[in-house]
Amino acid sequence: MLSYVPGDSLAHRLDPRTKLFVQVAFVLAAFAHTTVPGLAVLTVVALGCLALAGGSVRRTLWSYRYFLPFLLAGPLLEALTWGVPWVVLGDAVDPLLASYRVLLVFLVSGAYVRSTPVRDSRAAIQRLVPGKPGRLLGVGLSLVFRFLPVLKRDLFASRDAMRARLGEERPVHERMRIVATAGLNRAFGRADRLSVALRARCFAWNPTLPDLRFSRADAPAGTVGLLLVVWALV
Amino acid sequence: MATSTDSVELVGDEVTRNLARAALFAALMGAFAYVSFPNPLSPGIPVTLQVLGVFLAGIFLGPIWGGFAMVLYLLAGALGLPVFSGGSAGFGALVSQTGGYLVSYPFAAAVVGLGVHGVGDLADPRLVSVGRLVAAMVAGTVVIYTLGILGFWYVGDVGIVTAVVGAAVAFVPVEALKIAAAVGIVRSEAVAAR
């Protein structure tokens, strides 16, 4: 599974804001230059990003395997045609390039996920979105990160309990209802206890964030991002 | 550490409560990605509870906080929490062929919330008529599939017919099951809504 891996690669040392900028710039460039030469250049950039984060292409793409059928469906369906000759390969070229650019974006976002710890991402969002909305997003994000494993365990427990009571015999919508009801109850129960705890500890709009500082390494990375944006616009 | 020296401004009780609920709901939405059920109509494609989560966000949290919960879910996924299908993560998921579906979740939750509660204070979902619940969820489903199909069409660079076939036809019938499940959840006495 794709997740943060501690390390000391160049990508790990970059400021998360720079990495977010490079990602967005890459997407803009990939959508503006969905041609064979354009994607050839972007392939080099994407592989470079992943290498700088110490990630492997195979593992990154494997973590996106559930998206791959949709990447294939476009070109395959587009190549089919009603009547003779049934298959027109020429029609599949543009969708194929479009799918390939998404594959490249997966590599770049895989590099970000691998090299950026959660608390840095949270601090970056809180600095990028000004005022109270940014603070709500920041606190909300760290709570989501904290509670995902707990709620996953809750859901698995209720599914196992249902199985043990021969719940598999019930119709699908009944089973969805049972598992989701249990999940909701647990989530709301935890949320209410959490909000009492937050209020008891004087939950305020003034958070203490981890320090984020641009370093010398951010200059070349930021330049790559700028070049990608300029290239996307011309 | 960056320390703020301003006087401390406490977050209001109502906002604290809603923020905790929205964040926990976003985490639950992520957990739903890990629980799949066999699809009775096309056995190859398992059904997850994700769209059900969108419906429930609108019903239980209302249009604003329901939409906010979905924004948190997408942002957490984009920043690396493994909450998208198959436990994947990253910004790439939002700009892929199925990104339109993900992007539609906040809007769909807001539409469901508006349909169930209207504008103003939240109503007790148990007192809302089944017809209104179903209509709100059908409207939410329309939002999800419209943006989903448009996303597939734009990102995949395909014709609109291909987009409808590739992105929607296989999934639409299953949504009826989720609407049925959502009505069951709202009607059951088990969930303490407000």
Side-chain angles (χ1 to χ4, degrees):
Chain A
M1 192 190 295
L2 192 61
S3 64
Y4 170 65
V5 180
D8 193 31
S9 71
L10 180 70
H12 282 81
R13 276 176 278 143
L14 291 176
D15 188 284
R17 288 167 289 183
T18 312
K19 286 185 269 188
L20 287 172
F21 172 61
V22 171
Q23 272 193 92
V24 174
F26 187 90
V27 170
L28 290 178
F31 277 78
H33 296 276
T34 315
T35 55
V36 174
L39 291 177
V41 174
L42 289 167
T43 304
V44 176
V45 178
L47 290 176
C49 289
L50 195 60
L52 288 177
S56 92
V57 174
R58 198 173 52 82
R59 253 187 243 152
T60 308
L61 292 183
W62 177 246
S63 77
Y64 284 108
R65 62 192 175 282
Y66 284 84
F67 293 85
L68 300 183
F70 293 96
L71 265 64
L72 287 175
L76 287 180
L77 288 172
E78 202 73 338
L80 295 179
T81 176
W82 284 114
V84 187
W86 298 105
V87 175
V88 182
L89 287 179
D91 289 351
V93 173
D94 285 343
L96 200 64
L97 290 176
S99 290
Y100 182 69
R101 77 182 161 193
V102 172
L103 220 58
L104 294 181
V105 173
F106 282 162
L107 294 182
V108 176
S109 55
Y112 177 87
V113 171
R114 192 182 153 80
S115 66
T116 317
V118 172
R119 54 191 255 113
D120 281 10
S121 292
R122 179 243 160 126
I125 288 298
Q126 207 157 331
R127 281 181 170 82
L128 290 173
V129 184
K132 288 185 179 173
R135 290 176 191 186
L136 282 181
L137 281 179
V139 177
L141 271 181
S142 37
L143 291 177
V144 176
F145 280 104
R146 167 69 187 82
F147 278 97
L148 175 71
V150 182
L151 293 179
K152 239 164 83 178
R153 212 182 48 206
D154 285 349
L155 281 188
F156 288 153
S158 63
R159 194 188 53 184
D160 291 346
M162 184 178 71
R163 274 201 190 136
R165 291 164 182 78
L166 289 184
E168 306 283 280
E169 317 273 312
R170 289 168 178 265
V172 174
H173 77 274
E174 275 287 301
R175 285 153 63 186
M176 286 180 172
R177 183 184 65 75
I178 292 169
V179 172
T181 306
L184 262 182
N185 269 328
R186 297 284 186 95
F188 282 154
R190 287 181 194 280
D192 291 342
R193 287 201 298 280
L194 173 70
S195 75
V196 171
L198 282 172
R199 273 177 277 167
R201 285 162 185 75
C202 301
F203 177 45
W205 287 110
N206 317 58
T208 307
L209 286 177
D211 202 9
L212 286 187
R213 208 171 285 145
F214 291 110
S215 68
R216 211 172 284 165
D218 287 295
T223 312
V224 170
L226 265 183
L227 286 175
L228 286 172
V229 172
V230 172
W231 186 42
L233 294 178
V234 293
Chain B
M1 286 288 175
T3 312
S4 169
T5 51
D6 308 335
S7 60
V8 169
E9 185 191 356
L10 291 185
V11 179
D13 286 355
E14 197 58 26
V15 175
T16 307
R17 181 163 181 272
N18 281 321
L19 174 66
R21 290 187 143 216
L24 268 281
F25 206 97
L28 181 66
M29 184 78 182
F32 277 164
Y34 291 86
V35 188
S36 59
F37 294 88
N39 187 337
L41 301 166
S42 46
I45 313 166
V47 195
T48 69
L49 293 176
Q50 299 237 277
V51 174
L52 179 64
V54 178
F55 295 155
L56 295 175
I59 293 172
F60 285 107
L61 302 178
I64 296 171
W65 288 100
F68 181 76
M70 294 301 108
V71 170
L72 276 182
Y73 162 74
L74 294 184
L75 203 57
L79 293 175
L81 191 69
V83 290
F84 297 144
S85 45
S88 57
F91 184 60
L94 297 184
V95 292
S96 76
Q97 267 83 341
T98 47
Y101 285 103
L102 294 172
V103 173
S104 75
Y105 288 174
F107 301 103
V111 165
V112 174
L114 272 178
V116 173
H117 301 284
V119 279
D121 291 340
L122 298 194
D124 184 342
R126 269 174 292 187
L127 303 178
V128 176
S129 69
V130 173
R132 190 167 176 176
L133 281 175
V134 172
M137 285 188 275
V138 169
T141 312
V142 170
V143 172
I144 293 174
Y145 279 89
T146 306
L147 287 179
I149 290 168
L150 285 178
F152 195 89
W153 166 75
Y154 179 72
V155 175
D157 199 5
V158 293
I160 203 77
V161 177
T162 306
V164 173
V165 174
V169 169
F171 301 103
V172 169
V174 186
E175 303 311 333
L177 287 178
K178 294 178 186 168
I179 291 178
V183 171
I185 291 167
V186 175
R187 291 284 141 182
S188 77
E189 294 293 312
V191 180
R194 297 292 300 170

